[in-house]
Amino acid sequence: MAHTPVTLTNARVVTPGGVHDGWLRVEDGRVAALGSGEPAPGGEGRDVGGSWVVPGMVDTHIHGGAGHAFPDADPEGTGEIVAFNRARGVTALVGGLVAATPEDTVRQVSALAGSCDAGELAGIYLEGPFIARSKCGAHDPDLLREPDTAEFDRWLAAGRGHVRMITVAPELPGALELIRAAVSSGVVAAVGHTEASYEQTLAAFDAGASVATHLYNAMRPLNHRDPGPIAAALGDDRVTVELILDNVHVHPGAAGLVFRAAGADRVSLVTDAMSATGLGDGEYTLGDLRVRVRGGEARVVESGAIASSTIVLPQAVRNAVEGLGVGVPEAVRSASSVPAAALGLEGAGRIEAGGRADLVVLDGDLTVRDVMYRGEWVA
């Protein structure tokens, strides 16, 4: 179906090659051209007044929002999560699951695969169950188990090609074999929820793991004689490091160190958001665990552990710019092209001629003014 061409003028466009000052034209759901000076007449024109025009953001680690959770395996609820995020500038989501029974995991993966087939989700992410009990965070420790390639194969079959990433604790028996199996199947292996040593973490990266799950959180801490997974991930150029930048999970001083050590092109901003996102304080669930939200901070009722965040990805971009001094283009890349590239999400997180017209217009204070998805403005 043809769409009316749209030209955005007086724009600061964040592209893979840098910032383009000028205009951007959208035709038939794609970026037709970028230019300077006066654009060719025709179609709808919109002067954005010097605002930033950035790629639709990409959240590769998110569990829910708007009162719904991906582990619920409810297609209608999944659609609500997607719509909630899309209206706020996040145009690609990878649905995140938490530790569950083998039967429930297969059921959840199968349900989310249907949402992927429908084009709502960009993939499926399994954060458990092959993680360390001592670093379980908001995962039910009774549902954790050792890596099992046969179980992983069942997930792949249920996912019909949509499983994108799995987190594994490298120190567990069979972890390296699982990582190799994942990578050979086209699934990104991430290191997280782990007590792994520096050496064990490097072995996981050598086996093909390429992401560090929400750096600092639920992993062995950094020590000058026992550097652990944090130093291993920051020092390895093969690795993309996730960062939950909600000013709860990670202190700004520690977050700034990540940007300085790894560089924005290796930092993937994620939310790890749960069903409470977009709602008020109260009691919710994450998987089978009860989570209480107070002042926007989510914690597991039984253990007091930080559960998930309640932010949407553009807030992480603002926190990076305003709190850490990261440049707008760099912070935007960390929320768009970096996570998209880390998980191989073709067509997402980039503004370029011929590419998908998933665009976000940001005001001067980096709040979302307008969102375009596949060439259409989102109400």
Side-chain angles (χ1 to χ4, degrees), residues 36-52:
S36 302
E38 287 296 320
E44 173 192 340
R46 182 175 295 202
D47 187 331
V48 299
S51 295
W52 294 99

mmCIF file with all atom_site columns, all heavy atoms in Angstrom, residues 36-52:
data_model
loop_
_atom_site.group_PDB
_atom_site.id
_atom_site.type_symbol
_atom_site.label_atom_id
_atom_site.label_alt_id
_atom_site.label_comp_id
_atom_site.label_asym_id
_atom_site.label_entity_id
_atom_site.label_seq_id
_atom_site.pdbx_PDB_ins_code
_atom_site.Cartn_x
_atom_site.Cartn_y
_atom_site.Cartn_z
_atom_site.occupancy
_atom_site.B_iso_or_equiv
_atom_site.pdbx_formal_charge
_atom_site.auth_seq_id
_atom_site.auth_comp_id
_atom_site.auth_asym_id
_atom_site.auth_atom_id
_atom_site.pdbx_PDB_model_num
ATOM 1   N N   . SER A 1 36 ? 20.446 18.351 1.835  1.00 0.00 ? 36 SER A N   1
ATOM 2   C CA  . SER A 1 36 ? 20.569 19.694 2.403  1.00 0.00 ? 36 SER A CA  1
ATOM 3   C C   . SER A 1 36 ? 19.931 20.680 1.446  1.00 0.00 ? 36 SER A C   1
ATOM 4   O O   . SER A 1 36 ? 19.651 20.360 0.278  1.00 0.00 ? 36 SER A O   1
ATOM 5   C CB  . SER A 1 36 ? 22.042 20.047 2.620  1.00 0.00 ? 36 SER A CB  1
ATOM 6   O OG  . SER A 1 36 ? 22.674 19.100 3.469  1.00 0.00 ? 36 SER A OG  1
ATOM 7   N N   . GLY A 1 37 ? 19.698 21.894 1.934  1.00 0.00 ? 37 GLY A N   1
ATOM 8   C CA  . GLY A 1 37 ? 19.064 22.897 1.086  1.00 0.00 ? 37 GLY A CA  1
ATOM 9   C C   . GLY A 1 37 ? 17.577 22.653 0.970  1.00 0.00 ? 37 GLY A C   1
ATOM 10  O O   . GLY A 1 37 ? 16.940 22.089 1.857  1.00 0.00 ? 37 GLY A O   1
ATOM 11  N N   . GLU A 1 38 ? 17.010 23.052 -0.163 1.00 0.00 ? 38 GLU A N   1
ATOM 12  C CA  . GLU A 1 38 ? 15.574 22.926 -0.370 1.00 0.00 ? 38 GLU A CA  1
ATOM 13  C C   . GLU A 1 38 ? 15.238 21.549 -0.948 1.00 0.00 ? 38 GLU A C   1
ATOM 14  O O   . GLU A 1 38 ? 15.776 21.156 -1.981 1.00 0.00 ? 38 GLU A O   1
ATOM 15  C CB  . GLU A 1 38 ? 15.066 24.013 -1.317 1.00 0.00 ? 38 GLU A CB  1
ATOM 16  C CG  . GLU A 1 38 ? 15.021 25.393 -0.707 1.00 0.00 ? 38 GLU A CG  1
ATOM 17  C CD  . GLU A 1 38 ? 14.033 25.476 0.452  1.00 0.00 ? 38 GLU A CD  1
ATOM 18  O OE1 . GLU A 1 38 ? 12.933 24.873 0.349  1.00 0.00 ? 38 GLU A OE1 1
ATOM 19  O OE2 . GLU A 1 38 ? 14.363 26.113 1.465  1.00 0.00 ? 38 GLU A OE2 1
ATOM 20  N N   . PRO A 1 39 ? 14.347 20.783 -0.290 1.00 0.00 ? 39 PRO A N   1
ATOM 21  C CA  . PRO A 1 39 ? 13.964 19.491 -0.851 1.00 0.00 ? 39 PRO A CA  1
ATOM 22  C C   . PRO A 1 39 ? 13.025 19.660 -2.040 1.00 0.00 ? 39 PRO A C   1
ATOM 23  O O   . PRO A 1 39 ? 12.405 20.714 -2.223 1.00 0.00 ? 39 PRO A O   1
ATOM 24  C CB  . PRO A 1 39 ? 13.241 18.817 0.318  1.00 0.00 ? 39 PRO A CB  1
ATOM 25  C CG  . PRO A 1 39 ? 12.669 19.949 1.106  1.00 0.00 ? 39 PRO A CG  1
ATOM 26  C CD  . PRO A 1 39 ? 13.672 21.070 0.984  1.00 0.00 ? 39 PRO A CD  1
ATOM 27  N N   . ALA A 1 40 ? 12.913 18.625 -2.830 1.00 0.00 ? 40 ALA A N   1
ATOM 28  C CA  . ALA A 1 40 ? 11.980 18.652 -3.956 1.00 0.00 ? 40 ALA A CA  1
ATOM 29  C C   . ALA A 1 40 ? 10.556 18.743 -3.424 1.00 0.00 ? 40 ALA A C   1
ATOM 30  O O   . ALA A 1 40 ? 10.237 18.176 -2.384 1.00 0.00 ? 40 ALA A O   1
ATOM 31  C CB  . ALA A 1 40 ? 12.154 17.396 -4.800 1.00 0.00 ? 40 ALA A CB  1
ATOM 32  N N   . PRO A 1 41 ? 9.674  19.471 -4.101 1.00 0.00 ? 41 PRO A N   1
ATOM 33  C CA  . PRO A 1 41 ? 8.293  19.601 -3.632 1.00 0.00 ? 41 PRO A CA  1
ATOM 34  C C   . PRO A 1 41 ? 7.540  18.285 -3.782 1.00 0.00 ? 41 PRO A C   1
ATOM 35  O O   . PRO A 1 41 ? 7.935  17.393 -4.525 1.00 0.00 ? 41 PRO A O   1
ATOM 36  C CB  . PRO A 1 41 ? 7.723  20.688 -4.549 1.00 0.00 ? 41 PRO A CB  1
ATOM 37  C CG  . PRO A 1 41 ? 8.547  20.598 -5.800 1.00 0.00 ? 41 PRO A CG  1
ATOM 38  C CD  . PRO A 1 41 ? 9.929  20.211 -5.353 1.00 0.00 ? 41 PRO A CD  1
ATOM 39  N N   . GLY A 1 42 ? 6.424  18.217 -3.057 1.00 0.00 ? 42 GLY A N   1
ATOM 40  C CA  . GLY A 1 42 ? 5.570  17.038 -3.174 1.00 0.00 ? 42 GLY A CA  1
ATOM 41  C C   . GLY A 1 42 ? 5.356  16.359 -1.839 1.00 0.00 ? 42 GLY A C   1
ATOM 42  O O   . GLY A 1 42 ? 6.266  16.289 -1.017 1.00 0.00 ? 42 GLY A O   1
ATOM 43  N N   . GLY A 1 43 ? 4.125  15.868 -1.631 1.00 0.00 ? 43 GLY A N   1
ATOM 44  C CA  . GLY A 1 43 ? 3.812  15.153 -0.412 1.00 0.00 ? 43 GLY A CA  1
ATOM 45  C C   . GLY A 1 43 ? 3.634  16.078 0.773  1.00 0.00 ? 43 GLY A C   1
ATOM 46  O O   . GLY A 1 43 ? 3.436  17.287 0.647  1.00 0.00 ? 43 GLY A O   1
ATOM 47  N N   . GLU A 1 44 ? 3.710  15.495 1.946  1.00 0.00 ? 44 GLU A N   1
ATOM 48  C CA  . GLU A 1 44 ? 3.550  16.250 3.189  1.00 0.00 ? 44 GLU A CA  1
ATOM 49  C C   . GLU A 1 44 ? 4.889  16.790 3.647  1.00 0.00 ? 44 GLU A C   1
ATOM 50  O O   . GLU A 1 44 ? 5.896  16.084 3.638  1.00 0.00 ? 44 GLU A O   1
ATOM 51  C CB  . GLU A 1 44 ? 2.981  15.324 4.283  1.00 0.00 ? 44 GLU A CB  1
ATOM 52  C CG  . GLU A 1 44 ? 2.915  15.955 5.670  1.00 0.00 ? 44 GLU A CG  1
ATOM 53  C CD  . GLU A 1 44 ? 2.632  14.932 6.756  1.00 0.00 ? 44 GLU A CD  1
ATOM 54  O OE1 . GLU A 1 44 ? 2.125  13.844 6.439  1.00 0.00 ? 44 GLU A OE1 1
ATOM 55  O OE2 . GLU A 1 44 ? 2.933  15.219 7.942  1.00 0.00 ? 44 GLU A OE2 1
ATOM 56  N N   . GLY A 1 45 ? 4.931  18.041 4.033  1.00 0.00 ? 45 GLY A N   1
ATOM 57  C CA  . GLY A 1 45 ? 6.144  18.627 4.590  1.00 0.00 ? 45 GLY A CA  1
ATOM 58  C C   . GLY A 1 45 ? 5.964  18.919 6.061  1.00 0.00 ? 45 GLY A C   1
ATOM 59  O O   . GLY A 1 45 ? 4.889  19.326 6.504  1.00 0.00 ? 45 GLY A O   1
ATOM 60  N N   . ARG A 1 46 ? 7.003  18.654 6.841  1.00 0.00 ? 46 ARG A N   1
ATOM 61  C CA  . ARG A 1 46 ? 6.936  18.930 8.280  1.00 0.00 ? 46 ARG A CA  1
ATOM 62  C C   . ARG A 1 46 ? 8.263  19.511 8.743  1.00 0.00 ? 46 ARG A C   1
ATOM 63  O O   . ARG A 1 46 ? 9.304  18.840 8.688  1.00 0.00 ? 46 ARG A O   1
ATOM 64  C CB  . ARG A 1 46 ? 6.616  17.668 9.061  1.00 0.00 ? 46 ARG A CB  1
ATOM 65  C CG  . ARG A 1 46 ? 6.490  17.927 10.574 1.00 0.00 ? 46 ARG A CG  1
ATOM 66  C CD  . ARG A 1 46 ? 6.055  16.703 11.341 1.00 0.00 ? 46 ARG A CD  1
ATOM 67  N NE  . ARG A 1 46 ? 4.705  16.289 10.989 1.00 0.00 ? 46 ARG A NE  1
ATOM 68  C CZ  . ARG A 1 46 ? 3.936  15.524 11.794 1.00 0.00 ? 46 ARG A CZ  1
ATOM 69  N NH1 . ARG A 1 46 ? 4.399  15.145 12.979 1.00 0.00 ? 46 ARG A NH1 1
ATOM 70  N NH2 . ARG A 1 46 ? 2.742  15.154 11.407 1.00 0.00 ? 46 ARG A NH2 1
ATOM 71  N N   . ASP A 1 47 ? 8.229  20.761 9.181  1.00 0.00 ? 47 ASP A N   1
ATOM 72  C CA  . ASP A 1 47 ? 9.413  21.431 9.720  1.00 0.00 ? 47 ASP A CA  1
ATOM 73  C C   . ASP A 1 47 ? 9.533  21.051 11.191 1.00 0.00 ? 47 ASP A C   1
ATOM 74  O O   . ASP A 1 47 ? 8.659  21.373 11.996 1.00 0.00 ? 47 ASP A O   1
ATOM 75  C CB  . ASP A 1 47 ? 9.260  22.947 9.567  1.00 0.00 ? 47 ASP A CB  1
ATOM 76  C CG  . ASP A 1 47 ? 10.517 23.719 9.951  1.00 0.00 ? 47 ASP A CG  1
ATOM 77  O OD1 . ASP A 1 47 ? 11.281 23.230 10.814 1.00 0.00 ? 47 ASP A OD1 1
ATOM 78  O OD2 . ASP A 1 47 ? 10.731 24.812 9.399  1.00 0.00 ? 47 ASP A OD2 1
ATOM 79  N N   . VAL A 1 48 ? 10.616 20.368 11.551 1.00 0.00 ? 48 VAL A N   1
ATOM 80  C CA  . VAL A 1 48 ? 10.756 19.904 12.933 1.00 0.00 ? 48 VAL A CA  1
ATOM 81  C C   . VAL A 1 48 ? 11.528 20.903 13.790 1.00 0.00 ? 48 VAL A C   1
ATOM 82  O O   . VAL A 1 48 ? 11.828 20.634 14.954 1.00 0.00 ? 48 VAL A O   1
ATOM 83  C CB  . VAL A 1 48 ? 11.415 18.511 13.000 1.00 0.00 ? 48 VAL A CB  1
ATOM 84  C CG1 . VAL A 1 48 ? 10.566 17.498 12.260 1.00 0.00 ? 48 VAL A CG1 1
ATOM 85  C CG2 . VAL A 1 48 ? 12.838 18.534 12.456 1.00 0.00 ? 48 VAL A CG2 1
ATOM 86  N N   . GLY A 1 49 ? 11.855 22.070 13.221 1.00 0.00 ? 49 GLY A N   1
ATOM 87  C CA  . GLY A 1 49 ? 12.409 23.158 14.019 1.00 0.00 ? 49 GLY A CA  1
ATOM 88  C C   . GLY A 1 49 ? 13.769 22.897 14.632 1.00 0.00 ? 49 GLY A C   1
ATOM 89  O O   . GLY A 1 49 ? 14.046 23.348 15.746 1.00 0.00 ? 49 GLY A O   1
ATOM 90  N N   . GLY A 1 50 ? 14.614 22.168 13.926 1.00 0.00 ? 50 GLY A N   1
ATOM 91  C CA  . GLY A 1 50 ? 15.955 21.903 14.438 1.00 0.00 ? 50 GLY A CA  1
ATOM 92  C C   . GLY A 1 50 ? 16.036 20.767 15.440 1.00 0.00 ? 50 GLY A C   1
ATOM 93  O O   . GLY A 1 50 ? 17.080 20.559 16.062 1.00 0.00 ? 50 GLY A O   1
ATOM 94  N N   . SER A 1 51 ? 14.961 20.020 15.597 1.00 0.00 ? 51 SER A N   1
ATOM 95  C CA  . SER A 1 51 ? 14.948 18.906 16.546 1.00 0.00 ? 51 SER A CA  1
ATOM 96  C C   . SER A 1 51 ? 15.775 17.728 16.030 1.00 0.00 ? 51 SER A C   1
ATOM 97  O O   . SER A 1 51 ? 16.079 17.618 14.837 1.00 0.00 ? 51 SER A O   1
ATOM 98  C CB  . SER A 1 51 ? 13.508 18.441 16.805 1.00 0.00 ? 51 SER A CB  1
ATOM 99  O OG  . SER A 1 51 ? 12.755 19.439 17.438 1.00 0.00 ? 51 SER A OG  1
ATOM 100 N N   . TRP A 1 52 ? 16.101 16.858 16.960 1.00 0.00 ? 52 TRP A N   1
ATOM 101 C CA  . TRP A 1 52 ? 16.778 15.614 16.588 1.00 0.00 ? 52 TRP A CA  1
ATOM 102 C C   . TRP A 1 52 ? 15.784 14.668 15.933 1.00 0.00 ? 52 TRP A C   1
ATOM 103 O O   . TRP A 1 52 ? 14.648 14.501 16.414 1.00 0.00 ? 52 TRP A O   1
ATOM 104 C CB  . TRP A 1 52 ? 17.349 14.923 17.819 1.00 0.00 ? 52 TRP A CB  1
ATOM 105 C CG  . TRP A 1 52 ? 18.457 15.657 18.513 1.00 0.00 ? 52 TRP A CG  1
ATOM 106 C CD1 . TRP A 1 52 ? 18.358 16.432 19.626 1.00 0.00 ? 52 TRP A CD1 1
ATOM 107 C CD2 . TRP A 1 52 ? 19.843 15.651 18.146 1.00 0.00 ? 52 TRP A CD2 1
ATOM 108 N NE1 . TRP A 1 52 ? 19.592 16.930 19.967 1.00 0.00 ? 52 TRP A NE1 1
ATOM 109 C CE2 . TRP A 1 52 ? 20.515 16.465 19.079 1.00 0.00 ? 52 TRP A CE2 1
ATOM 110 C CE3 . TRP A 1 52 ? 20.561 15.046 17.114 1.00 0.00 ? 52 TRP A CE3 1
ATOM 111 C CZ2 . TRP A 1 52 ? 21.887 16.691 19.022 1.00 0.00 ? 52 TRP A CZ2 1
ATOM 112 C CZ3 . TRP A 1 52 ? 21.929 15.266 17.055 1.00 0.00 ? 52 TRP A CZ3 1
ATOM 113 C CH2 . TRP A 1 52 ? 22.577 16.074 17.991 1.00 0.00 ? 52 TRP A CH2 1
#
